[in-house]
Amino acid sequence: MLSSRTSRPILRGVSRGLSLASKRGGARQMSTFLDEYDAIVEERAAMGGGFGVPPPPLDASQTSRVIEELKESPNKRLEDLLVHRVPPGVDDAAYVKATWLSALATGKESNESISRAMATELLGTMQGGYNVATLVELLKDPDASIAGLAADQLCHTLLVFDGFYDVEALAKEGNAHAHKVLESWAAAEWYLKKPEVAKEMTATVFKVTGETNTDDLSPAQDAWSRPDIPLHALAMLKNTRDGISPEVDGEIGPLSQLKELKEKGHPLAYVGDVVGTGSSRKSATNSVLWHMGDDIPYVPNMRGGGLCLGGKIAPIFYNTMEDSGALPIELKVDDMNMGDVITVHPHDGVVTAEDGSVITDFKLKTNVILDEVRAGGRIPLIIGRGITSKARVALGRDEAVDDVFNMPEPPSGPKPKGYTLAQKMVGRAIGLKEGEGVVPEQYCEPKMTTVGSQDTTGPMTRDELKSLACLGFSADLVMQSFCHTAAYPKPVDVVTHHTLPDFIMNRGGVSLRPGDGIIHSWLNRMLIPDTVGTGGDSHTRFPIGISFPAGSGLVAFGAATGTMPLDMPESVLVRFKGEMQPGITLRDLVQAIPYTAEKMGLLTTEKKGKKNIFSGRILEIEGDVVNNLKCEQAFELSDASAERSAAGCTIKLDKEPIIEYLNSNIVMLKWMISEGYGDARTLERRIARMEDWLANPVLMEADEQAEYTEIIEIDLNELKEPVLALPNDPDASALLSDVAGTKVDEVFIGSCMTNIGHFRAAGKLLADAAKPIPTRLWVAPPTKMDEAQLTEEGYYSTFGVAGARTEMPGCSLCMGNQARVAPGCTTVSTSTRNFPNRLGQGANVFLSSAELAAISSIEGELPSVETYMKYMEQIDPTDENIYRYLNFDELPDFVKSADAVEISEEMKKAAKELDLA
């Protein structure tokens, strides 16, 4: 019989990537597979400058070979690999493992070393998915010991899904073992048998001063290795910075430093002034926890738990820590230094030094977070609470579970006099009465209507979906893109391009193709107004509706279950008034938000004691100049809410641009069906929902008496020159006149912050420029449709004559994992963010509008305001020949393809049912 206590020494040995032959005593049994496997172990042990990483989990082929050799003769080491090195859930290897164990457990096969009982117990280590049906079937086994053992395994298995109803049915038929399972679930034994959160957590401080962004923890250049958690973790903090000494600067992180601190005998706590800003990548959390977390029994190459302490912790990073079973705490960290030994008292809200003196105090963000830590993460807690509640109902009891769990506290204070736009959208998504909203701090689980995934987080989302035992999406539309790796794919990316589309489509999702372009430019065209969604990219910021971007674990949960946990954030209102002045662009309005907030004392760029009014809150934007924006333009504003560390964003738009957008998008989606994109049924259903909305185009609006944490008014009459983000901080802003004359080496026009109008404007400015231009110019339109239209209109010829390097439609330089600017150069970019080393090693990157970027490429420097305005006389912001967007319902080829597509009555009916729900 196995137990977690006896398995952990084995697990620790394997997790270090060591051969276990010497640990078993005596000569090793002959095994062709182990000879090959040991070569992998040896190769991985040499990585990281000799620090080593464990071998990858077994794949389906390797698992099959292990099983075939075990069928031939007993081999203790092969048994250990089968037990500990196969991923749980619905991984392909898990299917192979579960199939054989099921055959053994049911007696259809026998094995010399794995008995029926052992096979049953091993099925119980696989968390859910392929093991559940067999365990439920074994509840009826004539051998009472086997049936009882199967019940024991189900008692701690949460990912049973429809298997719950099979257990319930057996219990109603009088099956005592099934009744035992229901009673165990109802009593929350799966939770109560886990150790309580310790009253004291002693740890050694690993202090990273200043701001740690997710690029520091999970560098974009190493994105290809993100699914391989221990290998990717070698790159954490690989760039030299104050107090951090990498093994190899720019390549391998501070492994010796980490090792030395661990030798003090305590776990490490990650401590920083500002932690986790930037992208939503869960790989950043995975890397921290690989170095500072705990092994998870029967889950290879993944760790949970751990402490993360920050003066400010970015909301998405906080959530990914929460989801991983770690304990993130916001508190004052000024008096904590590298190597200090501290004790965190989570129940008392204080941190003490070695001598017992109090360093600081704190308040946990929610009353539920210690339950999350005990359960192994927020997602297991949510699923487990749900099973406990369902089991109680099945047994004829009250569904309440507050006798065991700390339930989210209802918001305090009187009911608000009015609701914001975001509060109403979320209110509808949880089924509140029309016009009602969700108030700040209220816990809810809104319906996820649209979920997006991109290719550098997609493989992690795939693995999370497997661990959740997901074989079909519950969210109405899940879309996968390949925009971050298509242009310069590494071998592992090529494999992803070939395998991930089927994985997504087989579960009812929509998959784009490499070369199609940026996730957001496509996903935005699949949106339903006033609905809620999420995405595994921090720039999943819907211009219509609202999204709450998340790490891959929460995105997988949203896709699989169709809902997402949310502690409703507060809102900050930004209201633009006045008229846009000559030469001012929407990108200047974007940067005017942090510029104005800093002037008001609501935002600081100093990282120690940083203030950021937007962090963790919803940014809600309105104003006369905003209301009539096209949806493509509105996204430029919502997209940049990511750089404010906002939880989400809403834009108040009139219905006319949305009607125009949806009419265009219906044609595009029909064209996708005609081109063979799948899942076709999902696309049909989304088209039908769009058509239903167009039949009654009503938009939500904020109430006049809605309450906001802060209202920031920006007078456009006073904004008379461009505003840029300074190197290398998207919050640090300056007027053009403050930085004019700065020499510029390279210019990038691209990213999700651009649309086809920006490229026409740049092309018009470049057309009359002296050739060759004095800078290196990069051009990357967001989608292949933009590229085709710009080529047809002659702009690609203009870019070529100017000497521009035109990139495949997609993210290009923006993330820094593909092509990069020259080390140490000065760059003007239209990309989303400009963290240190992101676009190029040591590069100084200004963020600006496409128009200013184009002018800088011509001038070789940031121009004076006078020079800029002279160029801008060539650009009329109301000129529809320039700022004209892709309306597919006006493009003959798309219309012709769309006309051939019929929407089935079945999908029309399904759409209406979803709308009514």
Side-chain angles (χ1 to χ4, degrees):
M1 300 287 284
L2 292 167
S3 71
S4 61
R5 184 174 60 187
T6 58
S7 71
R8 279 176 183 163
I10 299 171
L11 179 63
R12 284 197 293 271
V14 176
S15 74
R16 289 195 296 268
L18 302 175
S19 167
L20 298 184
S22 61
K23 294 181 180 287
R24 294 298 172 193
R28 192 187 75 190
Q29 297 103 320
M30 294 298 293
S31 167
T32 303
F33 173 77
L34 286 177
D35 290 338
E36 295 175 11
Y37 186 73
D38 282 340
I40 298 171
V41 171
E42 186 177 348
E43 178 187 4
R44 301 270 291 192
M47 292 179 174
F51 280 85
V53 294
L58 299 184
D59 61 25
S61 173
Q62 290 172 317
T63 305
S64 294
R65 291 185 61 193
V66 167
I67 289 170
E68 289 308 309
E69 291 196 15
L70 282 173
K71 287 179 178 180
E72 293 175 6
S73 62
N75 185 309
K76 190 61 178 172
R77 190 168 167 222
L78 288 174
E79 281 181 38
D80 291 337
L81 291 176
L82 183 68
V83 171
H84 298 292
R85 301 302 296 170
V86 178
V90 293
D91 185 87
D92 291 346
Y95 178 80
V96 174
K97 176 179 175 178
T99 300
W100 189 51
L101 292 177
S102 294
L104 295 176
T106 56
K108 294 175 182 176
E109 291 186 27
S110 61
N111 183 263
E112 186 176 343
S113 54
I114 300 179
S115 64
R116 285 191 71 196
M118 184 178 179
T120 302
E121 190 175 15
L122 286 177
L123 284 169
T125 68
M126 297 185 69
Q127 296 189 351
Y130 298 130
N131 62 332
V132 172
T134 299
L135 289 173
V136 173
E137 182 67 23
L138 288 172
L139 296 175
K140 300 180 290 184
D141 197 274
D143 184 333
S145 65
I146 294 295
L149 192 56
D152 291 341
Q153 308 315 307
L154 285 168
C155 288
H156 61 74
T157 300
L158 300 180
L159 301 174
V160 294
F161 300 108
D162 289 346
F164 176 92
Y165 302 107
D166 297 327
V167 173
E168 182 184 18
L170 285 175
K172 288 179 178 178
E173 292 170 6
N175 184 296
H177 301 290
H179 186 79
K180 173 187 173 182
V181 175
L182 279 184
E183 287 286 359
S184 176
W185 284 339
E189 289 182 351
W190 64 267
Y191 172 80
L192 293 173
K193 287 186 176 180
K194 295 177 181 288
E196 293 185 39
V197 176
K199 295 187 183 301
E200 297 182 353
M201 297 177 169
T202 300
T204 301
V205 170
F206 182 80
K207 178 75 175 282
V208 185
T209 58
E211 179 178 5
T212 314
N213 61 62
T214 51
D215 272 328
D216 298 320
L217 302 172
S218 172
Q221 307 96 288
D222 301 275
W224 60 273
S225 64
R226 284 177 182 165
D228 190 339
I229 292 172
L231 179 61
H232 188 68
L234 295 176
M236 185 182 92
L237 298 171
K238 69 179 185 178
N239 293 308
T240 300
R241 58 186 291 165
D242 185 30
I244 301 299
S245 303
E247 292 300 307
V248 180
D249 191 24
E251 294 183 25
I252 302 174
L255 303 184
S256 294
Q257 212 171 355
L258 289 162
K259 180 183 178 184
E260 183 180 341
L261 291 171
K262 289 177 182 178
E263 288 172 353
K264 291 194 173 190
H266 306 293
L268 302 186
Y270 193 99
V271 180
D273 295 310
V274 180
V275 183
T277 54
S279 301
S280 62
R281 55 192 75 155
K282 192 186 177 187
S283 50
T285 290
N286 289 340
S287 290
V288 172
L289 297 189
W290 182 256
H291 293 298
M292 305 179 195
D294 304 312
D295 286 329
I296 305 173
Y298 311 110
V299 183
N301 292 10
M302 184 173 288
R303 290 174 177 161
L307 279 169
C308 177
L309 312 178
K312 279 284 184 185
I313 303 178
I316 298 177
F317 188 78
Y318 185 100
N319 289 339
T320 58
M321 279 282 173
E322 223 180 340
D323 296 337
S324 301
L327 179 56
I329 306 173
E330 286 193 336
L331 74 181
K332 188 177 179 182
V333 299
D334 297 359
D335 296 328
M336 300 180 201
N337 298 301
M338 183 76 83
D340 287 353
V341 175
I342 61 171
T343 299
V344 177
H345 304 258
H347 301 275
D348 299 327
V350 295
V351 179
T352 56
E354 278 189 285
D355 62 5
S357 62
V358 174
I359 298 173
T360 189
D361 58 7
F362 62 86
K363 182 179 179 182
L364 295 174
K365 185 177 177 182
T366 75
N367 67 317
V368 177
I369 194 163
L370 294 183
D371 284 7
E372 294 170 352
V373 173
R374 185 177 182 181
R378 179 166 55 161
I379 290 171
L381 179 66
I382 292 169
I383 294 172
R385 276 193 322 221
I387 282 187
T388 294
S389 180
K390 284 170 64 177
R392 291 182 175 190
V393 171
L395 292 167
R397 303 168 193 165
D398 188 272
E399 66 179 359
V401 294
D402 55 3
D403 58 316
V404 176
F405 303 102
N406 289 303
M407 301 305 292
E409 294 175 346
S412 57
K415 182 178 178 180
K417 296 177 182 178
Y419 297 101
T420 74
L421 180 56
Q423 290 164 2
K424 287 187 174 184
M425 289 176 180
V426 176
R428 177 184 284 179
I430 65 169
L432 293 185
K433 186 170 60 177
E434 199 67 19
E436 294 285 309
V438 175
V439 299
E441 299 182 7
Q442 181 178 343
Y443 176 81
C444 58
E445 295 179 11
K447 182 184 297 184
M448 293 292 104
T449 300
T450 307
V451 177
S453 172
Q454 46 95 331
D455 42 333
T456 59
T457 57
M460 293 186 294
T461 303
R462 172 201 62 204
D463 294 344
E464 298 277 2
L465 286 164
K466 290 177 180 179
S467 69
L468 285 170
C470 173
L471 295 171
F473 296 132
S474 295
D476 184 38
L477 186 144
V478 179
M479 193 204 80
Q480 176 68 48
S481 78
F482 298 92
C483 46
H484 289 70
T485 60
Y488 302 93
K490 293 179 171 61
V492 68
D493 298 323
V494 174
V495 173
T496 298
H497 296 170
H498 282 93
T499 57
L500 192 54
D502 284 343
F503 180 91
I504 295 295
M505 290 188 290
N506 288 343
R507 286 161 174 77
V510 175
S511 178
L512 300 184
R513 299 163 183 169
D516 279 352
I518 297 174
I519 174 176
H520 316 296
S521 301
W522 287 80
L523 191 66
N524 288 347
R525 289 186 173 275
M526 300 180 186
L527 301 177
I528 304 295
D530 293 336
T531 57
V532 182
T534 187
D537 185 295
S538 59
H539 292 99
T540 311
R541 308 275 174 160
F542 299 165
I544 52 177
I546 188 169
S547 57
F548 296 96
S552 52
L554 203 52
V555 170
F557 182 81
T561 67
T563 63
M564 189 176 91
L566 178 69
D567 294 303
M568 188 66 186
E570 298 173 338
S571 289
V572 173
L573 176 66
V574 171
R575 181 184 293 126
F576 290 100
K577 63 181 183 179
E579 300 293 329
M580 287 181 67
Q581 301 301 296
I584 299 302
T585 68
L586 278 175
R587 187 63 184 254
D588 299 315
L589 271 62
V590 164
Q591 204 63 35
I593 295 175
Y595 181 76
T596 304
E598 187 174 5
K599 297 286 186 187
M600 295 173 66
L602 301 173
L603 175 69
T604 61
T605 55
E606 172 64 36
K607 306 308 176 187
K608 195 171 184 178
K610 182 176 175 66
K611 293 173 66 176
N612 182 358
I613 190 65
F614 307 106
S615 181
R617 296 188 171 101
I618 298 170
L619 176 56
E620 307 212 40
I621 302 175
E622 65 178 35
D624 291 342
V625 75
V626 173
N627 296 355
N628 292 311
L629 292 177
K630 304 294 186 184
C631 293
E632 294 92 336
Q633 295 173 305
F635 180 60
E636 197 170 345
L637 289 169
S638 63
D639 195 20
S641 65
E643 277 57 69
R644 310 286 78 80
S645 291
C649 181
T650 67
I651 309 283
K652 181 184 178 183
L653 294 177
D654 290 338
K655 65 181 179 181
E656 286 74 20
I658 296 177
I659 291 171
E660 177 184 330
Y661 197 52
L662 263 62
N663 279 321
S664 170
N665 297 344
I666 286 170
V667 171
M668 190 200 81
L669 296 185
K670 287 184 175 181
W671 168 83
M672 289 180 69
I673 294 172
S674 74
E675 291 290 307
Y677 285 85
D679 178 86
R681 288 163 56 87
T682 298
L683 290 169
E684 284 187 38
R685 190 171 60 246
R686 182 48 53 100
I687 291 166
R689 292 193 71 177
M690 290 179 174
E691 290 174 337
D692 288 346
W693 187 88
L694 287 170
N696 183 28
V698 177
L699 291 171
M700 291 180 165
E701 291 189 14
D703 295 326
E704 286 188 12
Q705 292 182 299
E707 298 173 5
Y708 301 90
T709 300
E710 191 72 49
I711 297 176
I712 300 172
E713 286 202 340
I714 300 175
D715 189 347
L716 296 177
N717 295 322
E718 296 179 2
L719 185 61
K720 299 180 183 295
E721 60 175 289
V723 191
L724 299 85
L726 296 171
N728 280 314
D729 181 350
D731 280 341
S733 308
L735 298 176
L736 177 57
S737 56
D738 297 328
V739 293
T742 303
K743 182 179 180 297
V744 173
D745 303 304
E746 302 197 31
V747 171
F748 171 52
I749 301 176
S751 89
C752 55
M753 287 292 285
T754 61
N755 56 58
I756 194 169
H758 294 128
F759 295 90
R760 291 197 188 100
K764 191 170 179 63
L765 291 165
L766 287 164
D768 298 327
K771 310 298 189 301
I773 58 175
T775 56
R776 189 184 195 191
L777 173 61
W778 305 72
V779 173
T783 73
K784 67 180 183 181
M785 295 85 78
D786 295 305
E787 178 187 50
Q789 188 66 26
L790 290 167
T791 300
E792 184 177 316
E793 294 174 13
Y795 285 100
Y796 261 64
S797 175
T798 300
F799 298 145
V801 170
R805 174 169 169 168
T806 51
E807 294 272 293
M808 175 187 286
C811 299
S812 189
L813 297 181
C814 182
M815 184 177 156
N817 66 315
Q818 300 185 92
R820 290 165 65 78
V821 299
C825 74
T826 297
T827 300
V828 176
S829 174
T830 64
S831 53
T832 55
R833 49 177 65 118
N834 58 346
F835 293 142
N837 306 308
R838 184 179 175 95
L839 267 67
Q841 201 69 15
N844 291 306
V845 180
F846 292 87
L847 300 179
S848 82
S849 67
E851 293 83 353
L852 178 53
I855 294 166
S856 300
S857 76
I858 297 166
E859 291 290 309
E861 64 178 17
L862 286 170
S864 66
V865 174
E866 182 182 8
T867 300
Y868 171 80
M869 290 299 181
K870 188 172 182 180
Y871 273 102
M872 289 300 286
E873 289 174 2
Q874 304 174 45
I875 305 295
D876 179 357
T878 64
D879 187 348
E880 292 193 358
N881 289 321
I882 297 175
Y883 298 101
R884 183 179 74 257
Y885 304 96
L886 284 179
N887 284 349
F888 295 103
D889 54 334
E890 297 174 1
L891 300 177
D893 288 346
F894 285 85
V895 172
K896 182 179 179 181
S897 296
D899 286 345
V901 174
E902 292 288 337
I903 307 303
S904 69
E905 291 302 319
E906 179 189 2
M907 289 301 102
K908 289 179 181 178
K909 181 180 178 182
K912 289 191 183 299
E913 290 173 353
L914 285 168
D915 291 334
L916 288 172

